[in-house]
Amino acid sequence: MFPKWFDKWNRDNPTNIFGPAVAIGTVGGAVFVAALLVTWGQPYATESLQTGPRGTGMSVPEFKLDLAKPDPSIESFLASTSAPVVPQGGEQTAGEARENVPPGLEGLTVENYDRLLAAMRVWTGIPDLFESVDSYQTAVGHVMIGMTQNLNEEWSGHVNANKEVGVTCYTCHRGQPVPSDVWFKISPVNETVEGWSANQNRVTVQSQYTSLPSDALEKYLLDGESIKVHDLESRVAGVPGTDGYPGIQQAERTYSLMNYVANSLGVNCVFCHNSRAFYDGAQVTPQWGTEILGIEMVLELNNTYLVPLEGLLPENRLGPVYADAPKAACKTCHKGYQQPLQGTNVIGDWPELATTSGTPDYSN
């Protein structure tokens, strides 16, 4: 087809066509990706929640893709929700018409009690809840309703810190008779050693799968010990932990708790602390105050409501080491989100669980 001299010249002078092709392909691919990002948006774009003063690096980055993805539990909760029936006066009460009505709910109208009972059975995954007066679940349920009402009424500073969110049975249970992310006492975990080290150096669920102390939840959310770290001075007179100031052991236990809190809420240290001044309480964020309230709330919740359940629960519901009742902590409600159920208002349609007075406010 071509003259012989042309074919010979091509054989003697080969041309590298792969280099230019790769370069053109790379440039073309980059242009194509850039065009997609401009037209469709950045799939891995982040949104930063500023938690402290500008310039301090105090922010919590989150992927917009994750923020746009709803917690799958929200849909189940909304499916179980119905609007309350505003009483007009003169209606028959649940205490008059129903059996085994939990304390605090006797004054509800039959309609509102029935709708609440149907929802609680879905929320807890117990289809016959309150049917039998002899069931341990009935006895436990009575206590849990009082606990829920108390949380909404007395701990609004934590529960509704950003907006009205509230707490219902579903906040913890998510359709299961026993909520996930409850905990039991397990220390000591390292039986081959004595003293402090018996509490750590063994990976456990309570230590968030680290070798940090495994008794942080027990000491801070059950026993009410003060959360502290070691002294800033390198040499302090006396014995750490016994002479009025904490030692490195208390610091490690504190780190264990802070690691648990961060994982429970899906945040990092600067959600509450200024990374330049961890020790300065004057430079913490507003979230720090909310968390401190939460710790006090869980401390009361465990000691007032959950620990006393030990005598009501069957053996298979008790802890594996000390046969203790299951207890709550941050993750029991939050389950990896800054706010449980991503801030969904779970109490708006259930004023019956918002007060201990027995007279719900249906005006909203």
Side-chain angles (χ1 to χ4, degrees), residues 139-149 169 173 305-306 309 353:
V140 172
H142 287 182
V143 177
M144 294 295 95
I145 287 174
M147 180 191 74
T148 303
Q149 291 172 330
C169 317
H173 281 266
Y305 296 99
L306 300 183
L309 295 180
L353 297 177

Side-chain angles (χ1 to χ4, degrees), residues 50-356:
Q50 185 173 324
T51 60
R54 294 182 62 184
T56 61
M58 297 176 68
S59 61
V60 179
E62 293 182 289
F63 288 112
K64 289 185 177 180
L65 214 59
D66 293 337
L67 293 173
K69 187 193 310 178
D71 180 343
S73 300
I74 296 175
E75 185 177 352
S76 298
F77 172 76
L78 295 178
S80 68
T81 295
S82 60
V85 181
V86 180
Q88 301 301 311
E91 292 94 342
Q92 190 177 31
T93 66
E96 298 168 339
R98 299 287 184 264
E99 296 180 354
N100 303 330
V101 178
L105 302 182
E106 304 98 324
L108 300 183
T109 64
V110 172
E111 273 189 301
N112 281 317
Y113 175 73
D114 286 349
R115 59 181 281 277
L116 177 60
L117 178 59
M120 287 192 295
R121 288 173 170 173
V122 173
W123 295 340
T124 62
I126 306 174
D128 59 349
L129 183 64
F130 299 133
E131 273 190 14
S132 171
V133 70
D134 298 322
S135 169
Y136 82 90
Q137 292 174 325
T138 295
V140 172
H142 287 182
V143 177
M144 294 295 95
I145 287 174
M147 180 191 74
T148 303
Q149 291 172 330
N150 178 68
L151 289 174
N152 284 309
E153 190 171 66
E154 300 297 331
W155 293 98
S156 182
H158 177 80
V159 173
N160 302 315
N162 299 318
K163 60 179 181 178
E164 183 183 67
V165 174
V167 173
T168 66
C169 317
Y170 191 79
T171 305
C172 293
H173 281 266
R174 310 292 173 98
Q176 304 175 56
V178 178
S180 63
D181 303 304
V182 294
W183 62 276
F184 302 94
K185 293 190 293 184
I186 60 171
S187 60
V189 295
N190 194 347
E191 298 176 354
T192 61
V193 297
E194 294 284 346
W196 171 264
S197 54
N199 295 318
Q200 61 186 98
N201 301 325
R202 183 70 60 83
V203 173
T204 65
V205 175
Q206 276 84 337
S207 67
Q208 298 293 282
Y209 303 102
T210 70
S211 62
L212 288 167
S214 295
D215 62 348
L217 300 184
E218 178 182 343
K219 295 300 182 182
Y220 298 135
L221 302 182
L222 182 64
D223 297 343
E225 287 194 9
S226 180
I227 301 172
K228 295 179 179 178
V229 295
H230 58 84
D231 200 286
L232 289 176
E233 298 295 330
S234 60
R235 298 181 186 277
V236 181
V239 179
T242 60
D243 289 336
Y245 69 96
I248 189 66
Q249 292 91 345
Q250 283 74 35
E252 289 182 347
R253 182 184 281 152
T254 296
Y255 299 152
S256 181
L257 178 68
M258 294 296 103
N259 185 45
Y260 170 81
V261 171
N263 286 323
S264 299
L265 275 64
V267 297
N268 55 28
C269 305
V270 296
F271 188 65
C272 291
H273 297 276
N274 188 330
S275 59
R276 301 179 308 156
F278 272 97
Y279 296 93
D280 188 356
Q283 297 191 49
V284 295
T285 72
Q287 288 81 13
W288 180 88
T290 303
E291 175 60 24
I292 291 299
L293 271 180
I295 290 172
E296 293 298 319
M297 180 187 76
V298 173
L299 188 62
E300 179 188 278
L301 186 155
N302 283 328
N303 284 287
T304 304
Y305 296 99
L306 300 183
V307 170
L309 295 180
E310 184 176 312
L312 299 176
L313 295 170
E315 185 178 348
N316 66 312
R317 295 299 194 201
L318 299 176
V321 179
Y322 296 98
D324 53 326
K327 288 165 280 294
C330 312
K331 199 171 185 180
T332 314
C333 290
H334 284 263
K335 304 195 187 298
Y337 294 101
Q338 292 173 26
Q339 290 185 286
L341 295 161
Q342 293 178 309
T344 300
N345 186 340
V346 298
I347 199 64
D349 288 322
W350 307 101
E352 300 87 356
L353 297 177
T355 178
T356 60

Side-chain angles (χ1 to χ4, degrees), residues 9-21:
W9 185 87
N10 277 332
R11 285 194 301 270
D12 295 340
N13 300 277
T15 302
N16 179 16
I17 63 171
F18 296 104

